[in-house]
Amino acid sequence: MVPLMRHLAVTVSRSRGLVTVTLDGELDRTNATDVRAAVRAAGRLATHTVVLDAQGVTFVDAVGRRALDLVRDASGPQVILLASNAVRSFDRNVAHTATAA
């Protein structure tokens, strides 16, 4: 069986001083480093806030979710996460598994 390639489009835009990193597609271990690099680059452009728009993320694994946490915890500009249903569902499943253990 050949593994499916997971695609994620990452765009960085700047408008009126606001820097936004937009994610569209599947966020997993194959592209998590790209997300971290994009947010670091956006942080160099921003004065105080970067919007990480992950509303277009359709799938996230543990490595991808950790990447979102790491960029929000890093020093530098504040990162505001706009999460998709896939990200929120991942968080609920992890919370449910932790309480069931």
Side-chain angles (χ1 to χ4, degrees):
M1 176 182 258
V2 177
L4 295 175
M5 292 198 62
R6 299 184 188 273
H7 296 284
L8 179 72
V10 181
T11 57
V12 178
S13 59
R14 184 176 182 185
S15 176
R16 298 182 187 163
L18 181 64
V19 180
T20 302
V21 177
T22 304
L23 309 178
D24 188 29
E26 299 182 357
L27 173 57
D28 61 19
R29 66 178 178 80
T30 65
N31 52 35
T33 55
D34 297 334
V35 171
R36 291 192 304 267
V39 173
R40 278 194 303 273
R44 289 189 291 274
L45 297 172
T47 51
H48 24 64
T49 304
V50 172
V51 176
L52 179 52
D53 184 352
Q55 295 177 95
V57 171
T58 57
F59 169 85
V60 64
D61 71 2
V63 176
R65 184 61 180 102
R66 180 72 178 135
L68 296 177
D69 288 338
L70 287 174
V71 297
R72 292 180 63 209
D73 294 340
S75 62
Q78 174 187 13
V79 177
I80 298 173
L81 174 64
L82 303 177
S84 69
N85 287 335
V87 173
R88 288 190 296 273
S89 177
F90 179 88
D91 291 346
R92 281 191 304 273
N93 288 339
V94 168
H96 177 72
T97 302
T99 58

